[in-house]
Amino acid sequence: MADHDNEANRFSARASRYARVGANVGGVAARMAGAKLFGKGETPTNAAALAQALGGLKGPIMKVAQLLATVPDLLPPEYATELQKLQADAPPMGAAFVKRRMMAELGPDWQKRFASFDLKPAAAASLGQVHRATGLDGTPFACKLQYPDMQSAVEADLKQLEIAFALHRRLSSWLDTREIAKEIGARVREELDYEREAKHAALYGAVLQDIAEVRVPAIHTDLSTKRLLTLGWLEGDRILSFSDQTLEIRNRLARAMFKAWWHPFSRAAVIHGDPHLGNYTVFSEDGEARGINLLDYGCVRIFHPRFVGGVVDLYRGLLENDNARIVHAYEVWGFKNLNKELIETLNIWARFIYGPILEDRTRTVADGVKPGEYGRRQAFEVHQALKQRGPVTVPQEFVFMDRAAVGLGAVFLHLRSELNYHRLFEAEIERFSLETLTERQGAALAAAGLPSPE
């Protein structure tokens, strides 16, 4: 393989992408601006046009659209509804194309390194596709192969995102989206680096090694590159196929999901930031569901330990009605210009997010709420309050924490689980110490080969 990287953010590829994405998104943006100018507001027709424009484009712009749709009330409801309909499955690369891609990553004799390699993908997504394969010793593999020119596509699409956010700020001044755009850009760029994703998987494997209900795939670095990630194949079934199982089974899976999310956060200040249901499958033993497989590690957010301290402070503050501790948590997270009205507004959202863990009783996450509507009412209340009192800048670190929490709640709603979330959370933060977390995180990141957060 040549040392020169022919796909590293090429200008020609970016220019082509600008033309394709810009023509699609720009036309819809013009319609949105025109409607706003003439007082017509948002329309379902505009929303559907945007979804149609994005849905025909393979690559990061579709992923960004899906990310935006899952951040409550960042977009008007009709836009969120349409964008959530976008399917993660993009048209797959053909067999000849796959062979060329594999040759580019592992060399001309790449096929000799596998006992078998299925050229038809098992799954195709926005940045790459997954192939089943078998190692020379019979080990089953999941080979994640990136589409060509994705780095150029990401840079072009993020530029379009900046334009869209700038338009959003002009039309809706209550929310400063600059930090949101910065965070989404950082995470999507990280997702391109499969070597980093392998380190994320190693980090999760170490942090969750004592949690039997959660399985993390093995990493095969000898068959991995910056754009090819080979992991062990974990057999499992779609989590939604268990939504009609007994309450005992559904609760078992919900507890596993809770631990998969909160245990790494409380032990290493890291979260799995993509709540897409396709990132989890259920493993069974003796014909019965026992836990979950955590499959994808591209969208992982590593926090400074002080951010976790803020989460614990806000929880304790809400639990004990300690306003000083609540304010301290918001300050630790980076919220600026706090005053009584803004704190009250932020507390609407905080009491919703923390609601299930504040009550020491067995309960559902939210009675009578559909998974796709989880958080929408509270977000609307916050939206209306901030429109009167804004603008507010959402701190960069807060974006994926917020999104992942809503996504996790939606999974619990799908499962219709009934648990004492308060006691589950208390078990995770028992004897919490910022100093201990800092030491534990430093050791875990060093072992995985990841840098400490700034």
Side-chain angles (χ1 to χ4, degrees):
M1 291 176 287
D3 292 333
H4 178 66
D5 189 347
N6 292 319
E7 295 183 22
N9 193 15
R10 295 186 300 118
F11 173 78
S12 59
R14 289 202 315 277
S16 174
R17 187 72 176 182
Y18 286 143
R20 294 173 61 208
V21 177
N24 286 13
V25 178
V28 180
R31 288 172 55 180
M32 290 168 59
K36 189 81 172 183
L37 180 64
F38 293 106
K40 296 179 181 179
E42 310 293 357
T43 70
T45 304
N46 283 346
L50 180 61
Q52 183 177 10
L54 296 177
L57 293 168
K58 179 188 291 188
I61 194 68
M62 189 168 70
K63 188 170 195 66
V64 167
Q66 291 168 327
L67 292 180
L68 295 178
T70 60
V71 178
D73 218 39
L74 179 60
L75 299 173
E78 58 270 26
Y79 281 83
T81 298
E82 288 294 332
L83 293 180
Q84 283 177 322
K85 294 177 184 178
L86 289 174
Q87 297 299 308
D89 288 345
M93 293 184 286
F97 208 65
V98 171
K99 290 179 180 178
R100 291 198 297 272
R101 294 296 293 162
M102 289 297 294
M103 184 182 301
E105 299 307 314
L106 294 181
D109 295 329
W110 69 269
Q111 287 176 305
K112 294 181 180 179
R113 303 178 68 175
F114 300 92
S116 66
F117 187 98
D118 190 347
L119 294 172
K120 183 179 180 181
S126 52
L127 302 182
Q129 60 192 40
V130 177
H131 294 261
R132 295 195 68 158
T134 306
L136 298 178
D137 62 353
T139 301
F141 293 145
C143 297
K144 184 177 177 181
L145 183 61
Q146 192 173 119
Y147 298 131
D149 281 324
M150 280 296 98
Q151 187 175 350
S152 301
V154 160
E155 296 307 321
D157 289 2
L158 289 177
K159 182 63 67 176
Q160 294 296 328
L161 176 64
E162 290 177 12
I163 295 170
F165 270 147
L167 178 64
H168 184 282
R169 287 193 294 273
R170 291 180 64 185
L171 300 182
S172 183
S173 61
W174 68 273
L175 180 66
D176 188 335
T177 55
R178 281 173 289 194
E179 292 298 302
I180 297 174
K182 188 187 299 182
E183 177 70 358
I184 289 176
R187 301 286 79 76
V188 174
R189 287 185 179 100
E190 282 183 358
E191 285 202 57
L192 288 174
D193 187 351
Y194 287 0
E195 291 174 341
R196 183 182 177 94
E197 183 173 347
K199 295 175 182 178
H200 287 165
L203 174 64
Y204 266 77
V207 174
L208 292 168
Q209 61 181 337
D210 297 325
I211 307 298
E213 307 97 304
V214 184
R215 291 180 176 175
V216 175
I219 307 113
H220 297 275
T221 54
D222 57 319
L223 295 172
S224 299
T225 67
K226 190 176 179 65
R227 297 187 182 94
L228 170 66
L229 177 60
T230 301
L231 300 173
W233 183 277
L234 295 178
E235 290 291 346
D237 300 299
R238 292 171 58 88
I239 196 167
L240 289 186
S241 65
F242 293 83
S243 59
D244 293 327
Q245 291 286 321
T246 65
L247 181 60
E248 179 184 2
I249 295 294
R250 300 198 312 271
N251 282 347
R252 182 184 299 161
L253 297 179
R255 276 192 295 269
M257 286 294 300
F258 191 96
K259 290 183 179 181
W261 201 86
W262 280 109
H263 194 76
F265 185 73
S266 64
R267 298 301 189 277
V270 58
I271 62 167
H272 193 283
D274 193 346
H276 190 280
L277 289 170
N279 289 335
Y280 318 105
T281 58
V282 174
F283 70 84
S284 299
E285 294 176 350
D286 301 323
E288 187 169 291
R290 295 295 178 186
I292 67 159
N293 299 315
L294 193 53
L295 301 179
D296 191 286
Y297 298 87
C299 190
V300 163
R301 211 323 172 171
I302 301 171
F303 296 94
H304 191 284
R306 64 172 173 263
F307 187 88
V308 182
V311 170
V312 175
D313 277 337
L314 184 54
Y315 166 71
R316 296 293 186 202
L318 293 171
L319 196 64
E320 301 162 8
N321 291 314
D322 185 341
N323 192 61
R325 200 164 187 176
I326 291 171
V327 172
H328 175 69
Y330 292 142
E331 290 174 340
V332 166
W333 285 351
F335 282 98
K336 306 293 185 183
N337 303 317
L338 289 170
N339 54 47
K340 184 175 183 293
E341 291 77 15
L342 179 55
I343 291 167
E344 289 176 352
T345 301
L346 293 175
N347 282 349
I348 296 172
W349 188 243
R351 291 188 185 281
F352 160 68
I353 289 289
Y354 281 79
I357 63 176
L358 291 175
E359 298 185 19
D360 187 7
R361 66 181 178 90
T362 298
R363 52 165 286 176
T364 62
V365 165
D367 292 328
V369 177
K370 297 178 181 178
E373 297 173 359
Y374 185 65
R376 295 288 169 191
R377 179 176 62 81
Q378 291 79 6
F380 178 76
E381 291 179 30
V382 174
H383 182 161
Q384 294 302 108
L386 290 177
K387 284 179 73 174
Q388 298 175 13
R389 303 185 179 100
V392 64
T393 300
V394 177
Q396 183 177 343
E397 282 189 311
F398 189 79
V399 175
F400 274 82
M401 176 76 181
D402 194 31
R403 172 177 176 264
V406 172
L408 185 64
V411 174
F412 295 149
L413 288 176
H414 278 297
L415 290 171
R416 295 178 292 118
S417 53
E418 299 175 18
L419 296 169
N420 190 318
Y421 295 99
H422 171 78
R423 295 189 181 180
L424 288 172
F425 185 72
E426 283 284 349
E428 292 298 338
I429 63 167
E430 186 179 11
R431 296 188 297 275
F432 175 79
S433 161
L434 199 56
E435 293 76 15
T436 301
L437 174 59
T438 301
E439 293 175 4
R440 196 157 43 202
Q441 184 199 55
L445 293 178
L450 289 162
S452 295
E454 297 179 358

